[in-house]
Amino acid sequence: MNRLLQRLFSGAAALVFCGASQIFPAAAENTSAQAAMAADYYAMASPDSEMLSFGDYYDLHSAEPRPDTEIVIEGADYASSAGGEFRKGSFTDDFGEERGNVLLWNSTDGEVTYRFTVPETGNYCLSADYCPMISNSTYIELGLEIDGQAPYDTASRLTLGRVWVNEKDIYTDIRGNQVRPAQVQKSAWRSCFFGDVDGLFSEPLFFYLEKGSHELKLTSERAQLAIERLCFCQREELPDHSSYAASAGADITVEGTASALFRIEGENAAFKSDPTLYPTYDNSSYLASPSDPRKMVYNTLGSGNWKKALQSVTWEIPAEETGAGGWYKIGIKARQDQIRGFDSERRIYIDGKVPCKELDGVKFHYNTDWSVTTPKSSGEPVYIWLEGGMSHTITMEAVPGEIGGCLRRLDSAVRELNTYYRRVLMITGPAPDKYTDYYVHEKIPELVDKFTGISAELKDVQKEIESISGSSGTEAAAIENMAVILDKCTAKPLKIPSYLSQIKTGITSLSAWMRDNRDQPLEVDYIEFASADRSFSSCKEKLGKSLKFGFEGFIGSFFEDYTTLSDVSGEDAIDVWVALGRDQAQVVKEMTENQFMQETGIPVSVNLVTGGVVEATLAGKGPDAALFLGGEFPVNLAARDLLVDLSQFDDFEEVKGRFQKNAMTQYTYNGGCYGLPVSQTFPMMFYRTDILTELGFSSPPETWSGLIDMLPALQRRYMSVGLVLPPNDISPATECGHTFAMLLLQKGQNYYNPEQTASALDTTAAVQSFEEWTDFYTKYSFEQVYDGFSRFRTGEYPIIIANYTFFNQLTAASPEINGLWDFCPVPGTEREDGTVSHAANSSGSGAVIFKKVKNKENAWRFIKWFTDTETQVRYAAQIEGLMGTMGRFDTANTEALGQMSWSSDELARLRAQQEELTEIPVTPASYAVTRNIMNAFRETINEGANPRDTLIWYNRDINDEITRKRKNLGLE
């Protein structure tokens, strides 16, 4: 294995590259002061003031020479370090390979500086020999500065891949369904060039260096690695296939290879660069290898998750398959059925090196069916030499391919369109008056020329894309539509404001098109190696077999129970319901059987449900315990004497210490506690750093008064702030991050009196908070309903308050604003003692035990186990491995939160907000409280009612319902 890894990870080739709103008057009435203010803002908002993208940097320096020299920087020879934990020494990876005199960066954060000398001016790529240490993060992210400055934006977020493997082989459970293994990290020495994480360039990143002495600084918040050396050099020029074949020796011939055909199943990959590259399945056709129409069989790799730049998968070729060695052609049975009209490309490595140019970008054509792709040279298959008697590896890496150049040009066009859209919006507002001439083309003199240039660029890109796809029309419809809109704007500049909404829609469509088409999706069934005299297995579907497979699947659907995940039974078995998706429930089941049951011997049956827990319980058919039961359900069940009071257990106080100090509030009723928190999400303030900087703000607002002070600068430019406002069909539980709740909690008040026998909404603090809340929508014209994600992306709402899981969505779905946003605790309220309170409420789900359970102690041991730190970290890692960053788990265990993929800086900000969480109790009458608060709000906003009188009026209804409910439940 060690020899295999040396062959895989050695060499210079990279496995992974690696008041109210104010509008500006019409031109005739525009004062010189307003014009000057607009001009100042235009200067600040100029796209030229932004850091260069790598595409701009490429255009600027690509013609410079590329010296054929190497500048080696030994990892241990650093000049200085700060923060973090650094030392020099040796490091041995998990496969026994040791390397000495390396830099051991044994922390997530810190910075390290090197000094080096450049002998000749030119462009240099940067490679790294490194070993990832076991870490909580899924990848290594580094920021690079040369002589105190990042040369372009991508340099501030360079990535290096980690090594992920299946924790165990795929196995079959007692119901005959295969179980997908968890993905775990391994440390292994690697060598790679730094590549473009944005997926626009297939070649490595380069840096223009002038002759002389320089300083290189690496910073990180997701580090933990050993660095043997860094090297400024050039990527090795690849030979064509004929030159590669000649280099193997004249005595070696294709015809001399022994007849052979062997297969490697895609799901049996040895190493992956990303935890999301786990085994997947296809049960739609008998052609998948292997297949079963009734059972779950993991038979492919990459379905829906192998599409991002720099992701790579490595398979091992066993020594016994190659025999005495020889020349083999490669047949890859794969399917690219997601991006119609375009190819997905993969760079293929053999033993860690790309043998020839033909394997540097192998195309997989769009096809809804399985097909076999064979790399070719001049129409003939490419043969590779495999030495006999030893193991080999084949690696496939996602690369941008032909469409990368088009995406680079579109990326630049979208950046400019976003900038000028905001500049026009500043003058007209989001809803321009159709009877007003705004003369935006005069206030922004270069606007028409810019729109003309962007339109011409879009049309040129459209032609190139149609040439690549071989068809015209739908593949580039979003680009064509945007060009048409811009042409209308340039033809009649006075009409530009009337096209503003179309421009916004066009930018959104274009951004979505770019996001989808920068992906390189591919699903692999198997890889075959064949000698010249053998043919690859056929992928042609036969009607009879297809009908038989479909009929068996149809019949099986009547007998297979897809909600029961395990067949554990018996009087002592604990019946646990999990209210999640199948993949998440499967993870719970696997962890339960492999850990809890093995360690305790307590049988547990895990079952998947999608709702109806309360109804089933009331009907006497409910579970013994339930996970991820949230909202008001635990308290409502407890009020009906259906749940076990967990505070009766001896070690309850110890277990309680796992969670935030107020986390139990939502599970407490009448002096008892009826649940343990499993998930917990809370609000954070997200802000666009680029826009706030343009407006002259060095930091986001710390307090609500600070936020209000920023509003004139925002609203003069028709920007706004997004606050949390529950929808009309509100939950009985208070919405997480509810603005009224935050304002009230920050004053040290709550919804109820200490005994929870009446509301406290008639206090001075409550009335004041209610007035402050409604003022945002009356005095400052905040919108009640808005698309926070879209408006944050476009910059219309540069400040958004949302659950911290909004981070996951932005990271996964908004690559075009990477590095342009950040987050921090919510705005606070300054108290009399001078301190600022950032108190907020949270929401989540918990684990509960029902009274029907026969053995309460065993059930208690189970929910204790599931909520402990080790289990929560393992569960979170597996879920993020399944779903990527989008699925990062919002655990309620405070220690487990610190062991997830958050950087140290991100975690510090989350901790700061988490420490100030103050919860609002859930009572049997919570539905009346939240409903009447929103009724009072809407009456104040929509009908112009007096806020104080309205709140006091609805507070009487709240207290009447609380009293009625308490009498109904026998509490009075």
Side-chain angles (χ1 to χ4, degrees), residues 385-463:
W385 172 256
L386 297 178
E387 192 72 33
M390 62 186 302
S391 297
H392 298 273
T393 62
I394 178 171
T395 300
M396 295 172 61
E397 176 196 12
V399 294
E402 292 180 322
I403 200 174
C406 298
L407 293 174
R408 292 197 296 272
R409 297 167 66 184
L410 289 175
D411 194 52
S412 177
V414 169
R415 284 204 312 271
E416 283 199 301
L417 284 170
N418 264 318
T419 299
Y420 285 103
Y421 167 74
R422 291 202 306 269
R423 292 174 65 173
V424 173
L425 185 73
M426 168 188 164
I427 300 172
T428 68
D433 182 357
K434 64 180 179 179
Y435 300 111
T436 301
D437 292 333
Y438 292 92
Y439 295 95
V440 295
H441 60 293
E442 295 181 6
K443 297 175 184 177
I444 312 176
E446 74 277 17
L447 182 62
V448 173
D449 289 340
K450 281 290 184 180
F451 277 7
T452 301
I454 295 172
S455 175
E457 179 78 349
L458 293 178
K459 292 173 184 176
D460 193 41
V461 171
Q462 179 188 355
K463 291 178 182 178

Side-chain angles (χ1 to χ4, degrees), residues 305-324:
N305 51 28
W306 190 12
K307 56 187 179 182
K308 300 299 182 183
L310 311 185
Q311 289 182 327
S312 63
V313 181
T314 299
W315 293 267
E316 181 181 350
I317 306 172
E320 57 269 22
E321 297 287 4
T322 59

